[in-house]
Amino acid sequence: MNAARQATQTFSLVRDSLQAYEPSGRWSVQLRRHGRHRLFVISAQLNFYYFWEKRWFFIAMAIGALLLYAPVPPGLTEAGWTVLVMSIVATILFVTEPIPLPTVALIIIVGQVILLGIGSTEVARSLMTDSVLFIMGSLMLAVAVVKQRLDLRIAWLLVRMTGTRTTSICFGISVVSGLLASFVGEHTVAAMMLPVGITLITLTDTDRSKVRNLAAVILFSICYGCSVAGIGTPSGGARNAIMIGYWKEFFYDPTNPETHKFLIDYVTWMAYSYPIFLLQLPVVTFIIMLTFKPEHRHLSRAVARLRAQMRMEGPMTPANWIAITLFFLILYGWIFESSEIGMGTVAVLGAASFLVAGLVKWEDVNNGVNWGVVLLYAAAISLGVQMKVTGAAEWVAEGFLGILAPLGADAGIGLWVSVSALTTFVTNTMSNGAAVAVLGPITLKMATVAGESPIVIGFITAVSSAFAYLTVVGTPACTIVFAAGYLSPGDFLRVGWRMVIASTLIMLAAAAIYWPLLGA
């Protein structure tokens, strides 16, 4: 705390000095006023503050340099060791975030060219895959959907279906959030549904202390409803597209008909994952209501106020209907056409359709899309491919299996539990997309070495990456609802461990009983 106060005072002093600066020479007046010694102290304090803020960047770089000059482990090529070191450094930077995450992507790209000797054109080609196009198009669609401001209408439709009981409304919120998030993306739906939840909370009582638990059950219904739904379809999250890309890259051979099963399309993914999402919906409501006891069993007051606001809003506009129509056309393309032209093409075409129809402006898309996220996923996927090409993923997989073998967890359900636990831990420390990008090549190689189905292990990895229930930063949906100011980090731990156990058991049951019926 002393360092923070000292840094604040230092920045204030420097700010005052800079405000006094003019070409006429007033900086020299400040120089005489503070004295050369004082300015030297300021400079030293600023340098200390900078290096303290960026300490994990320098630590990561130092670790990477030491590992690069260390002897290459037996059984691993020099290129494989370099890729592994790059992955370790990237993981440290993902977790600690001393620099913006898109900057990590830029470092990965440059590292492949300089350290691995790969041509810049080849690296650039590996960045723009169909999975990355899909992620980019989905983010653009998210902006277009949010622009229509349908939150009040969704809230009104919700309470008309569920009634005024708090339990029913929370279940309805989870269902609506989940159904939307399974197709659009959890961060988009969380942003759309947060105003709905805040509306119901504030219409009940504006005093936050009197609706503390009510706010918890409503907001967790939003973020956990979105989280469990993100696995439902390929468009539910970037991690799904990443895993689909890995299956195709690692196992598909156009000359071998037996490998066509690794071309997982939209419908096939839904067949595997959507039932898991649906089974988790009532579990979400049960666990949340068990953990937090809401102060109000009925929300009649909020519903009455919501009805009055809806009268002021008026009927649906033509733009609203056009947006809904376009959304269903995009959904049709994902389901029936993506196997031919790619999911990324459908997503980009859908985003272009919203722009052509005038439902969203390019300025809105440009400002609303986090282009750094697109770059981050592109670089992570590219590095994951290099882990496979250089043999680094196989080497790590064999080493991990060697550790699990004495525990009897190197195959079967023991391996499933180990992969799920590893993914759950990692996904609570970084974004789920980054977690799958880092772990996917390793877990898929583990499946190959252990003689397990890569499809099963891949789905376990992707589904477990949705179990980011424990931390505020584990998933964008959690971060968005936390930003409302009603929840504390401890609330996520309080309810999250229950969600992790329940979700893991449901997934393992599906892997053992349901997925074999689909030919996995």
Side-chain angles (χ1 to χ4, degrees), residues 186-192 194 472 475-485:
E186 62 186 65
H187 60 289
T188 304
V189 176
M192 289 176 59
L194 182 60
V472 175
T475 177
C478 292
T479 306
I480 288 170
V481 300
F482 176 76

Side-chain angles (χ1 to χ4, degrees), residues 172-374:
I173 289 175
S174 294
V175 171
V176 172
S177 299
L179 291 176
L180 292 174
S182 65
F183 295 103
V184 179
E186 62 186 65
H187 60 289
T188 304
V189 176
M192 289 176 59
M193 291 297 293
L194 182 60
V196 176
I198 297 299
T199 297
L200 293 173
I201 296 167
T202 54
L203 289 179
T204 301
D205 201 315
T206 56
D207 187 347
R208 294 192 176 194
S209 63
K210 295 181 180 179
V211 288
R212 176 72 175 76
N213 288 348
L214 175 66
V217 297
I218 289 178
L219 295 181
F220 276 118
S221 295
I222 294 173
C223 70
Y224 285 172
C226 291
S227 295
V228 300
I231 64 171
T233 70
S235 56
R239 59 180 177 268
N240 306 338
I242 290 171
M243 183 55 68
I244 289 173
Y246 281 155
W247 276 321
K248 180 178 179 180
E249 181 70 31
F250 292 1
F251 302 105
Y252 173 64
D253 180 1
T255 64
N256 185 359
E258 294 183 0
T259 64
H260 287 193
K261 64 181 180 181
F262 295 108
L263 293 177
I264 303 296
D265 58 21
Y266 206 93
V267 175
T268 303
W269 182 284
M270 288 185 65
Y272 276 89
S273 300
Y274 219 81
I276 299 177
F277 148 57
L278 294 176
L279 286 173
Q280 289 184 92
L281 281 176
V283 175
V284 168
T285 301
F286 173 77
I287 290 178
I288 292 174
M289 298 298 293
L290 180 67
T291 306
F292 304 97
K293 306 294 183 183
E295 297 85 354
H296 300 268
R297 294 186 177 182
H298 293 268
L299 301 183
S300 303
R301 183 188 304 176
V303 173
R305 293 174 178 174
L306 180 62
R307 183 184 297 111
Q309 291 190 16
M310 280 302 303
R311 288 172 181 162
M312 297 175 61
E313 283 290 316
M316 291 274 288
T317 65
N320 294 149
W321 288 113
I322 293 173
I324 293 173
T325 302
L326 284 178
F327 175 77
F328 280 104
L329 288 175
I330 294 166
L331 181 60
Y332 173 87
W334 276 332
I335 294 175
F336 296 106
E337 304 297 334
S338 61
S339 59
E340 295 294 329
I341 63 176
M343 293 188 298
T345 305
V346 175
V348 172
L349 177 60
S353 300
F354 272 88
L355 287 164
V356 170
L359 298 175
V360 64
K361 297 180 180 178
W362 174 252
E363 290 76 12
D364 298 322
V365 173
N366 190 41
N367 295 329
V369 172
N370 189 338
W371 300 104
V373 170
V374 178

